[in-house]
Amino acid sequence: MSEPPETEHVEITDGDQAVAAAEVSTTDEGETARASLHAAAGHSVPGRRARLVDAVLDLPQVQDSARLEASVPLGDAESLERLRERTDEPSTRPAGSTALLDANIRPAADAADGPADPLADGTGQGESPG
């Protein structure tokens, strides 16, 4: 019997508070990465959910995988859009209050050619002041 896959926890924080998080694992063969993305209830500053997607897709075990299976809350358009931007041949379908996405993972060199970080302000500091 094989051991259960290791799960990695990824968080985006605002001060001491987690505003978005994901649990990420890979299959025994390393072919498929699985991610479950969540955001804190209430208003979220635009771009934070996209940063979570970027953090997940930049994990070495995800980059070493060929496919991604992700679950995202059904109304989380920002995460779904970022997943579509950073993957190839994405396919989504609803499952209750969740959207399931299946896609091919782009090699790291190709992902760098994707859209600019929505939080980048040119200073390397992320969010712009004011």
Side-chain angles (χ1 to χ4, degrees), residues 58-115:
D58 292 341
L59 289 171
Q61 66 267 35
V62 174
Q63 281 296 306
D64 290 343
S65 299
R67 302 261 320 138
L68 174 68
E69 295 175 354
S71 64
V72 179
L74 198 52
D76 187 352
E78 182 178 328
S79 294
L80 284 170
E81 181 60 27
R82 190 62 168 173
L83 283 163
R84 287 183 186 118
E85 290 172 351
R86 295 261 334 250
T87 59
D88 290 329
E89 300 179 32
S91 159
T92 57
R93 63 190 183 286
S97 62
T98 303
L100 302 177
L101 176 131
D102 295 311
N104 294 326
I105 296 173
R106 252 184 231 154
D110 293 345
D113 295 335

Side-chain angles (χ1 to χ4, degrees), residues 117-128:
D117 181 350
L119 295 179
D121 64 358
T123 66
Q125 300 294 317
E127 297 178 26
S128 344

